[in-house]
mmCIF file of all heavy atoms in Angstrom:
data_model
loop_
_atom_site.group_PDB
_atom_site.id
_atom_site.type_symbol
_atom_site.label_atom_id
_atom_site.label_comp_id
_atom_site.label_asym_id
_atom_site.label_seq_id
_atom_site.Cartn_x
_atom_site.Cartn_y
_atom_site.Cartn_z
ATOM 1 N N PHE A 63 -11.469 21.510 -23.542
ATOM 2 C CA PHE A 63 -10.190 21.047 -23.933
ATOM 3 C C PHE A 63 -10.213 20.574 -25.323
ATOM 4 O O PHE A 63 -11.244 20.050 -25.837
ATOM 5 C CB PHE A 63 -9.627 19.942 -23.082
ATOM 6 C CG PHE A 63 -9.182 20.450 -21.688
ATOM 7 C CD1 PHE A 63 -10.082 20.477 -20.721
ATOM 8 C CD2 PHE A 63 -7.850 20.879 -21.566
ATOM 9 C CE1 PHE A 63 -9.670 20.959 -19.439
ATOM 10 C CE2 PHE A 63 -7.559 21.327 -20.349
ATOM 11 C CZ PHE A 63 -8.348 21.440 -19.224
ATOM 12 N N GLU A 64 -9.119 20.654 -26.038
ATOM 13 C CA GLU A 64 -8.978 20.089 -27.395
ATOM 14 C C GLU A 64 -7.474 19.695 -27.507
ATOM 15 O O GLU A 64 -6.654 20.033 -26.776
ATOM 16 C CB GLU A 64 -9.423 21.103 -28.458
ATOM 17 C CG GLU A 64 -8.599 22.306 -28.534
ATOM 18 C CD GLU A 64 -8.907 23.215 -29.666
ATOM 19 O OE1 GLU A 64 -10.080 23.277 -29.957
ATOM 20 O OE2 GLU A 64 -8.057 23.847 -30.294
ATOM 21 N N ALA A 65 -7.306 18.795 -28.484
ATOM 22 C CA ALA A 65 -6.025 18.312 -28.864
ATOM 23 C C ALA A 65 -5.801 18.221 -30.293
ATOM 24 O O ALA A 65 -6.884 17.802 -31.011
ATOM 25 C CB ALA A 65 -5.667 17.008 -28.131
ATOM 26 N N GLU A 66 -4.612 18.338 -30.702
ATOM 27 C CA GLU A 66 -4.326 18.227 -32.271
ATOM 28 C C GLU A 66 -3.290 17.119 -32.405
ATOM 29 O O GLU A 66 -2.260 17.225 -31.822
ATOM 30 C CB GLU A 66 -3.988 19.531 -32.804
ATOM 31 C CG GLU A 66 -3.820 19.502 -34.417
ATOM 32 C CD GLU A 66 -3.423 20.784 -35.023
ATOM 33 O OE1 GLU A 66 -3.038 21.643 -34.314
ATOM 34 O OE2 GLU A 66 -3.528 20.830 -36.221
ATOM 35 N N PHE A 67 -3.679 16.187 -33.271
ATOM 36 C CA PHE A 67 -2.742 15.182 -33.651
ATOM 37 C C PHE A 67 -1.974 15.590 -34.996
ATOM 38 O O PHE A 67 -2.655 15.882 -35.969
ATOM 39 C CB PHE A 67 -3.513 13.881 -34.031
ATOM 40 C CG PHE A 67 -2.724 12.756 -34.524
ATOM 41 C CD1 PHE A 67 -1.498 12.241 -33.984
ATOM 42 C CD2 PHE A 67 -3.245 12.129 -35.758
ATOM 43 C CE1 PHE A 67 -0.842 11.264 -34.540
ATOM 44 C CE2 PHE A 67 -2.445 11.021 -36.253
ATOM 45 C CZ PHE A 67 -1.218 10.687 -35.681
ATOM 46 N N ILE A 68 -0.714 15.705 -34.695
ATOM 47 C CA ILE A 68 0.163 16.089 -35.845
ATOM 48 C C ILE A 68 1.010 14.846 -36.144
ATOM 49 O O ILE A 68 2.059 14.693 -35.457
ATOM 50 C CB ILE A 68 0.903 17.263 -35.695
ATOM 51 C CG1 ILE A 68 -0.003 18.435 -35.406
ATOM 52 C CG2 ILE A 68 1.821 17.597 -36.955
ATOM 53 C CD1 ILE A 68 0.733 19.793 -35.110
ATOM 54 N N LYS A 69 0.656 14.088 -37.157
ATOM 55 C CA LYS A 69 1.389 12.839 -37.351
ATOM 56 C C LYS A 69 2.835 12.984 -37.738
ATOM 57 O O LYS A 69 3.771 12.242 -37.264
ATOM 58 C CB LYS A 69 0.748 11.981 -38.489
ATOM 59 C CG LYS A 69 1.203 10.560 -38.660
ATOM 60 C CD LYS A 69 0.444 9.880 -39.692
ATOM 61 C CE LYS A 69 0.902 8.437 -39.838
ATOM 62 N NZ LYS A 69 0.110 7.589 -40.944
ATOM 63 N N SER A 70 3.182 14.030 -38.440
ATOM 64 C CA SER A 70 4.529 14.149 -38.932
ATOM 65 C C SER A 70 5.434 14.576 -37.719
ATOM 66 O O SER A 70 6.635 14.487 -37.849
ATOM 67 C CB SER A 70 4.591 15.269 -39.990
ATOM 68 O OG SER A 70 4.108 16.535 -39.437
ATOM 69 N N LYS A 71 4.871 15.139 -36.738
ATOM 70 C CA LYS A 71 5.600 15.482 -35.520
ATOM 71 C C LYS A 71 5.385 14.487 -34.388
ATOM 72 O O LYS A 71 6.076 14.794 -33.314
ATOM 73 C CB LYS A 71 5.281 16.908 -35.096
ATOM 74 C CG LYS A 71 5.517 18.009 -35.999
ATOM 75 C CD LYS A 71 5.168 19.355 -35.444
ATOM 76 C CE LYS A 71 5.487 20.615 -36.524
ATOM 77 N NZ LYS A 71 5.209 21.802 -35.924
ATOM 78 N N PHE A 72 4.752 13.474 -34.607
ATOM 79 C CA PHE A 72 4.491 12.437 -33.548
ATOM 80 C C PHE A 72 4.003 13.168 -32.240
ATOM 81 O O PHE A 72 4.428 12.861 -31.077
ATOM 82 C CB PHE A 72 5.734 11.738 -33.176
ATOM 83 C CG PHE A 72 6.173 10.877 -34.332
ATOM 84 C CD1 PHE A 72 7.057 11.361 -35.271
ATOM 85 C CD2 PHE A 72 5.747 9.609 -34.522
ATOM 86 C CE1 PHE A 72 7.482 10.599 -36.402
ATOM 87 C CE2 PHE A 72 6.170 8.699 -35.517
ATOM 88 C CZ PHE A 72 7.044 9.293 -36.459
ATOM 89 N N SER A 73 3.032 14.178 -32.448
ATOM 90 C CA SER A 73 2.567 14.902 -31.322
ATOM 91 C C SER A 73 1.177 14.928 -31.218
ATOM 92 O O SER A 73 0.384 14.742 -32.134
ATOM 93 C CB SER A 73 3.253 16.354 -31.486
ATOM 94 O OG SER A 73 2.443 17.052 -32.475
ATOM 95 N N PHE A 74 0.714 15.231 -29.963
ATOM 96 C CA PHE A 74 -0.712 15.321 -29.548
ATOM 97 C C PHE A 74 -0.810 16.254 -28.514
ATOM 98 O O PHE A 74 -1.113 15.913 -27.355
ATOM 99 C CB PHE A 74 -1.230 13.830 -29.143
ATOM 100 C CG PHE A 74 -2.685 13.681 -29.114
ATOM 101 C CD1 PHE A 74 -3.610 14.130 -30.095
ATOM 102 C CD2 PHE A 74 -3.228 13.188 -27.989
ATOM 103 C CE1 PHE A 74 -4.990 14.006 -29.996
ATOM 104 C CE2 PHE A 74 -4.678 13.070 -27.776
ATOM 105 C CZ PHE A 74 -5.401 13.519 -28.832
ATOM 106 N N ASN A 75 -0.747 17.476 -28.757
ATOM 107 C CA ASN A 75 -0.672 18.528 -27.685
ATOM 108 C C ASN A 75 -2.168 18.907 -27.306
ATOM 109 O O ASN A 75 -3.069 18.940 -28.069
ATOM 110 C CB ASN A 75 -0.004 19.797 -28.270
ATOM 111 C CG ASN A 75 1.520 19.590 -28.434
ATOM 112 O OD1 ASN A 75 1.969 18.467 -28.143
ATOM 113 N ND2 ASN A 75 2.185 20.549 -29.030
ATOM 114 N N LEU A 76 -2.203 19.226 -25.971
ATOM 115 C CA LEU A 76 -3.516 19.529 -25.330
ATOM 116 C C LEU A 76 -3.710 21.013 -25.287
ATOM 117 O O LEU A 76 -2.640 21.652 -24.891
ATOM 118 C CB LEU A 76 -3.679 18.835 -24.013
ATOM 119 C CG LEU A 76 -4.923 19.198 -23.246
ATOM 120 C CD1 LEU A 76 -6.044 18.378 -23.920
ATOM 121 C CD2 LEU A 76 -4.724 18.725 -21.786
ATOM 122 N N ARG A 77 -4.757 21.590 -25.590
ATOM 123 C CA ARG A 77 -5.006 23.020 -25.457
ATOM 124 C C ARG A 77 -6.297 23.406 -24.848
ATOM 125 O O ARG A 77 -7.276 22.620 -24.818
ATOM 126 C CB ARG A 77 -4.879 23.648 -26.919
ATOM 127 C CG ARG A 77 -3.647 23.414 -27.739
ATOM 128 C CD ARG A 77 -3.534 24.322 -28.868
ATOM 129 N NE ARG A 77 -4.513 23.898 -29.881
ATOM 130 C CZ ARG A 77 -4.328 23.496 -31.123
ATOM 131 N NH1 ARG A 77 -3.033 23.160 -31.432
ATOM 132 N NH2 ARG A 77 -5.208 23.157 -31.943
ATOM 133 N N LYS A 78 -6.263 24.579 -24.342
ATOM 134 C CA LYS A 78 -7.539 25.147 -23.797
ATOM 135 C C LYS A 78 -7.332 26.643 -23.940
ATOM 136 O O LYS A 78 -6.318 27.222 -23.349
ATOM 137 C CB LYS A 78 -7.791 24.721 -22.409
ATOM 138 C CG LYS A 78 -9.184 25.169 -21.825
ATOM 139 C CD LYS A 78 -9.606 24.688 -20.566
ATOM 140 C CE LYS A 78 -10.989 25.045 -20.111
ATOM 141 N NZ LYS A 78 -11.514 24.472 -18.983
#
Side-chain angles (χ1 to χ4, degrees):
Chain A
F63 287 91
E64 64 179 32
E66 184 176 13
F67 171 50
I68 303 179
K69 188 175 181 179
S70 62
K71 296 184 177 180
F72 296 88
S73 70
F74 190 56
N75 292 354
L76 182 71
R77 300 194 292 250
K78 186 171 184 179

